[in-house]
Amino acid sequence: MVSRSHSRCGRIAVLRLAVLSVLCSVGTFAVAQDQPAPKWELYGGYSFLYPNSDVHAMLPGGLLPVSSPLESNPRGVGGSLTYDFNRWFGLTLDASTHWGSGESSLFKKIDDAAFTNFSFGPKVTFRRPHVAPFLEALVGDHRLTPDAFHDINKLGFMFGGGLDFKLSRHVALRLPRVDYVMSSYRYGPKATTGSTDLRGVRAQAGLVFTWGGEHKVTPPRAACSVQPSEVFAGEPVSASAEGSNFNPKRTVTYRWSGSGVKPGETGSSTQLDTSGLQSGSYEATASLSDGSAEGVASCSARFTVKEARPPVIACLSDPASVAMGGSSTISANASSPDGRRLTYSYSSSAGHISGNTSSATLHTAGAQPGPITVTCTVADDHQQPLTASASTMVNLQAPPPLPDVVAIEKRLALHSVYFATAKPRPEDPDAGLLRSQEKTLTALASDFLIYLQVKPDARLTLKGHADPRGSVEYNQALSQRRVDRVKGFLTALNVPAANIQTEAFGEQENLTDSQVKAAVERNPELSAEDRQKVLNNMRTIILASNRRVDITLSNAGQASQESVREYPFNAADSLTLLQQEGTGKTRRPTARRKAKPKTQP
């Protein structure tokens, strides 16, 4: 009998721990709930008692006490009334009764007992939408009435809890409710009879009826948002709405209204069309409904259409003045206060302009001389583009007047420059030109440079001569030095060397006495007195006339111009040359050989 009692104690201990673990776990998951609580809860239902105890008692007329384990009592009902102070805490008044077996013989009644309690204590409930686990601690009057003995009332305790499954707003199914029962009794003298300790479990199941308290109903809600919240006219705005607390079994529908909303727009999000909207603040509203009277909510969100600012631009030309047929670079410096992307375009009052970036080129081919207006235009990328323009001027220069080719050719007809005897010498090749001859070459170079602008393939041919007083070899070298001296003087005046050709003739092709005399007589610069003085010194003048370099103008495909023979000296230099010739000495070679002229390009 003792072994059986220990086995039952072990099972009951395990059952207690399991029940407490389940209740605590469910309670932990329920901490975050926020459900409305009733004021009153009335429970009624079936009750089962497992005493987990041995009864020790003295039979009437007996000499020794007897002991017997008490059997479970499935014959019971229970009820409780709870007042809830708030959502989770209340006080419970509990009562239950388990009646006897009704057996008649002492042998059969000794292991049966009736049990009744009337207790009071706190109750903690963790309410969820569909289940409400609870824990309770009760203290009160416990009456144990073994069938074979008398009844005894003692103070007893109950600790436990249960689960209420919500069937409707006011009805729940309590399944299960389990309490640990603890109370002690004595059925005989203390000296001879042991204590009957009730350490069992009470299990119940039934219905719970609730009433009172406020039924908290959370109304549906809606939240709206727009992205972006600031735009320029013509840019799209995305609006969205989100609902909460609607009946999950119903379908929520959306209806949009407000600025930029397309007619009949539905759905949880929509695109707002801001085209044509003036700057300012606008609102989009969403109406949500699940089809029920209470399932309605709405929300609004605002967005701003900003005032668009036009771009700014400045326009420059480089160079600002070009010759006809030339080009100028047009630069546009533009920016957008709104940070928009910019595109460029250009127009001109004359010529042709190319380019569509911040730089373009004005081509003036075909344009008439004068100012050309170039307009630079920039546009931003707004839905309705804003533009700005600026202008700059390019002055198209008229070409210089064409030179009088006939007059220049006449002036460039045969020129001759003259050297003193034996000049220039090998040791001083840059000497030998009189001031009057340098003046002649300077005027010739100026005319020839102008002539090259019209006929760039024109050439000057330099032909060097020497008088017959030297040897052939000497005269040949001397005439070469003379053409080199003239060429060097011309190139120093920027005449291109490629347009100069030289030939050295020595004493070949000298002028005759009659040719020189005729030139003296035709010279308009000489007075009658000076002309006679020159004629009286003809021998000197004839020799001087052959110490020359003839300069001939020629063009590609055109014969050389004919020489214009004039007196070789002007009035200022003639007497000086005569004086030099009168005092100078002439070097002659010991032998003479005929030499061919040397030509240089």
Side-chain angles (χ1 to χ4, degrees), residues 57-66 189 192:
M58 182 73 73
L59 291 172
L63 298 177
L64 294 174
V66 295
T192 58

Side-chain angles (χ1 to χ4, degrees), residues 181-199:
V181 181
M182 184 174 64
S183 55
S184 298
Y185 308 89
R186 189 176 298 279
Y187 294 94
K190 185 176 182 180
T192 58
T193 307
S195 175
T196 299
D197 297 324
L198 195 64
R199 301 291 187 269

Side-chain angles (χ1 to χ4, degrees), residues 79-112:
S80 65
L81 179 65
T82 301
Y83 177 81
D84 293 310
F85 292 93
N86 51 39
R87 176 179 57 81
W88 56 273
F89 180 76
L91 290 178
T92 295
L93 181 63
D94 178 84
S96 64
T97 181
H98 302 78
W99 51 88
S101 63
E103 295 175 336
S104 57
S105 65
L106 180 63
F107 177 76
K108 292 181 178 181
K109 293 191 299 183
I110 198 169
D111 57 1
D112 295 320

